[in-house]
Amino acid sequence: MLLEGLARLGRSGLGALERLGRAHLLLAAMLLGAGEIIRRPGLLTAQVFNIGVLSVLIIGVSGLFVGMVLGLQGHYVLAQFGAAESLGVMVATSLVRELGPVVTALLVAGRAGSALTAEIGLMKATEQLSGLEMMAVDPVRRILTPRFFGGLVAMPLLAAMFSAVGVLGGYFVGVGLLGVDSGSFWSQMQAKVDFHEDIVNGVIKSLVFGLVVTWIALFQGHDAVPTSEGVSRATTRSVVHAALAVLGLDFILTALMFGD
Amino acid sequence: MVKVRGLCFRRGTNLVFDRVDLDIRRGTVTAVMGPSGTGKTTLLKLITGQLRPDAGSIEIDGEPVHLLGKSALFRLRRRMGMLFQSSALLTDLNVFDNVAYPLREHTDLSSSMLRKLVLIKLEAVGLRGARDLMPNELSGGMARRVALARAIALDPAIVLYDEPFSGQDPISMGMLVTLIRQLNDAAGLTSVVVSHDVAETATIADQIYVISHGEVIAHGTPAQIAADRSPWVRQFIDGLPDGPVHFHYPAPRLADDLLARGVA
């Protein structure tokens, strides 16, 4: 009984290690396939459109609401210390450093990541990937690599848009509704938000999240059991793993970047 | 053209092929037949290098498929076409673009030359008029013919068909049977047809291999196979429900099973 349990534990551990190995081999193959993107940039732009442009609406609306909530909550706390004029700094810093990259990554994992997993999983289930291989076309280079780099390019752009729209949301609530001075809102933001410390670090975060979310989505699709149940499980796993990876990595990156 | 020697392949603990020998001659239509689950599709995957054998050798035109690296295998596959059971058309491209796909990937043809070639291939399968349809607008038989046009787009030397007739109505089946033979003879191809549709396959095959339980149990021309007296071959060719291949999956005695305690 005990031995059986140990054996089962060992098997599942080995299975997980094997999956991890396959995931890294896929990542290496996609990175090595970067030449394909340079030769045929059209493949990349199509995927930036699919992953990025088609996510603009959800990112814009979410960014606006998150910014407006930050305006309300920030004003409540800052007003207690007579620092309501610093609302602009608070809203912009929270968005650029944390909420922009993190919430964008979670939304992209839910909208584009799940779609990528389902697409690749179904292509596998309907033998389209095998069909490509039989036409002497490498599906990793031709199908997965453009999607990977598309996600990598789209994520920082979407995060930047999320932060920009969020700042506007904070402005509408803070200045429009709660009577914060417009000049202080913008000038303090300009003075306190640092390009390297805040913005560059935020962009690095969203690049890392872009890599992780797209990699997980593509690996789950490519590794899916080629049945309808298998693809459905892979899609769920894709979103759950990507969300956990983003939140865990955010803590590590924040500690490294701002932990002093 | 294709030489298989001592092929062994196992899936888990299940031995799918046990020392199988096959010879496929250039310019012929060779049928590989056998009951469902005997690994006919697996054999095609082994011949095309999608799977690697546990032992034995597979040679195409003298090239050892089982030993080739990825790039050499891809070079070899440009001379091979394969018709999948599911057609495997790219669902986001229309009929024209599906057939043009291998040409666009592997050649630098001008767009007018590419258009002419694709239309010729579509004409060969009778679907020139369907060039603008999407795969979800095609019937099963039409999808298979488009996939066939795509498989012959690069003028391969060998075409492999995985269950080309399964799930087809009599008209589409008749069309596919005629097409396979005509394409083989007109373009000087070598064809391998994996199927369990005995009558249709026998009409176009030059030679037939019958596989069961991981071994070749009969080999010869359609006439020789039809005259074979072995009970295995007779059961398969005549479609008998019971024989060496049992109707019942192995199980305990029915009475013991029904009288045993237990819940569903």
Side-chain angles (χ1 to χ4, degrees):
Chain A
M1 189 72 182
L2 183 71
L3 272 179
E4 208 175 281
L6 269 175
R8 209 174 301 136
L9 193 71
R11 265 198 300 275
S12 68
L14 284 175
L17 272 179
E18 209 181 308
R19 268 198 303 283
L20 202 63
R22 283 202 301 273
H24 280 85
L25 284 176
L26 180 69
L27 179 66
M30 290 191 295
L31 290 172
L32 288 173
E36 183 84 2
I37 304 295
I38 298 162
R39 270 196 302 279
R40 298 168 70 175
L43 292 175
L44 178 69
T45 41
Q47 293 311 319
V48 173
F49 179 83
N50 272 342
I51 298 168
V53 178
L54 296 181
S55 303
V56 159
L57 187 66
I58 185 176
I59 295 293
V61 173
S62 313
L64 187 69
F65 282 121
V66 168
M68 282 161 52
V69 169
L70 275 177
L72 283 174
Q73 298 285 20
H75 186 267
Y76 170 74
V77 175
L78 291 173
Q80 293 181 31
F81 304 100
E85 306 304 310
S86 302
L87 184 67
V89 186
M90 202 225 99
V91 169
T93 316
S94 329
L95 281 167
V96 172
R97 281 184 169 202
E98 290 296 333
L99 292 168
V102 173
V103 179
T104 303
L106 295 176
L107 290 170
V108 169
R111 203 214 73 91
S114 57
L116 283 178
T117 306
E119 186 189 17
I120 303 297
L122 280 172
M123 284 183 88
K124 186 179 179 187
T126 53
E127 294 187 306
Q128 291 181 55
L129 297 184
S130 306
L132 285 174
E133 281 194 359
M134 274 313 299
M135 285 189 272
V137 175
D138 182 356
V140 172
R141 293 222 164 164
R142 183 62 178 72
I143 304 289
L144 273 70
T145 304
R147 283 162 176 75
F148 175 71
F149 284 99
L152 205 60
V153 171
M155 189 71 91
L157 296 175
L158 288 171
M161 201 190 104
F162 184 97
S163 298
V165 175
V167 167
L168 287 179
Y171 176 81
F172 292 143
V173 169
V175 176
L177 290 180
L178 303 171
V180 174
D181 179 59
S182 170
S184 313
F185 185 91
W186 292 118
S187 63
Q188 290 212 22
M189 191 190 300
Q190 195 180 2
K192 295 278 168 54
V193 176
D194 184 69
F195 178 71
H196 289 287
E197 179 78 355
D198 299 318
I199 295 179
V200 171
N201 279 337
V203 171
I204 292 174
K205 273 189 179 181
S206 61
L207 271 173
V208 173
F209 296 159
L211 182 143
V212 169
V213 167
T214 334
W215 174 28
I216 289 177
L218 292 171
F219 172 69
Q220 290 295 350
H222 194 246
D223 210 48
V225 179
T227 60
S228 37
E229 197 197 357
V231 175
S232 128
R233 278 175 185 228
T235 311
T236 310
R237 264 203 310 272
S238 164
V239 177
V240 173
H241 289 192
L244 292 177
V246 164
L247 295 170
L249 275 171
D250 184 47
F251 173 73
I252 295 170
L253 288 171
T254 305
L256 288 174
M257 290 168 171
F258 310 112
D260 287 335
Chain B
M1 180 91 195
V2 181
K3 198 161 100 177
V4 177
R5 287 289 173 272
L7 176 71
C8 291
F9 181 76
R10 61 177 70 241
R11 193 160 262 159
T13 54
N14 183 19
L15 191 61
V16 183
F17 292 117
D18 187 12
R19 289 178 301 240
V20 165
D21 293 340
L22 279 173
D23 281 295
I24 293 163
R25 289 193 306 277
R26 191 181 303 276
T28 59
V29 176
T30 300
V32 178
M33 297 170 131
S36 301
T38 43
K40 300 189 296 293
T41 303
T42 309
L43 180 67
L44 285 190
K45 288 188 173 174
L46 285 160
I47 292 177
T48 54
Q50 295 176 67
L51 294 172
R52 305 262 163 167
D54 292 313
S57 66
I58 301 159
E59 285 181 13
I60 297 183
D61 262 349
E63 287 199 68
V65 180
H66 58 295
L67 299 176
L68 293 182
K70 196 170 172 179
S71 55
L73 195 58
F74 273 21
R75 263 199 306 282
L76 180 65
R77 281 185 188 159
R78 289 189 201 184
R79 293 191 276 132
M80 299 168 102
M82 181 160 171
L83 184 74
F84 284 85
Q85 201 171 347
S86 63
S87 299
L89 295 175
L90 294 165
T91 46
D92 56 339
L93 300 180
N94 66 15
V95 166
F96 183 94
D97 289 332
N98 259 293
V99 179
Y101 196 91
L103 294 165
R104 286 190 175 129
E105 289 292 326
H106 296 306
T107 64
D108 293 321
L109 295 172
S110 67
S111 56
S112 69
M113 178 59 85
L114 188 124
R115 179 173 176 276
K116 286 189 186 89
L117 269 178
V118 172
L119 292 182
I120 291 169
K121 301 296 175 191
L122 281 173
E123 175 71 15
V125 297
L127 290 174
R128 191 166 42 85
R131 72 187 93 162
D132 296 324
L133 297 181
M134 294 303 286
N136 61 7
E137 295 171 299
L138 303 173
S139 70
M142 286 163 82
R144 232 164 260 193
R145 283 193 278 154
V146 174
L148 180 53
R150 187 178 69 174
I152 56 166
L154 287 171
D155 292 323
I158 176 167
V159 182
L160 304 117
Y161 301 85
D162 186 8
E163 301 282 5
F165 314 122
S166 69
Q168 298 296 311
D169 64 64
I171 302 174
S172 327
M173 201 186 272
M175 283 179 185
L176 283 164
V177 168
T178 320
L179 261 177
I180 292 173
R181 189 71 239 187
Q182 278 179 353
L183 283 173
N184 189 79
D185 298 345
L189 301 173
T190 303
S191 308
V192 183
V193 182
V194 150
S195 175
H196 48 225
D197 293 291
V198 177
E200 289 72 20
T201 314
T203 57
I204 53 165
D206 295 310
Q207 60 165 348
I208 297 177
Y209 282 91
V210 184
I211 294 184
S212 185
H213 288 78
E215 291 171 25
V216 174
I217 53 166
H219 163 224
T221 63
Q224 287 169 331
I225 296 291
D228 196 301
R229 301 317 318 158
S230 125
W232 291 90
V233 177
R234 288 276 40 99
Q235 187 191 3
F236 181 68
I237 301 293
D238 300 336
L240 305 174
D242 214 348
V245 177
H246 296 297
F247 171 68
H248 289 288
Y249 194 79
R253 271 174 12 102
L254 178 65
D256 296 342
D257 228 358
L258 293 179
L259 292 172
R261 286 172 181 277
V263 288

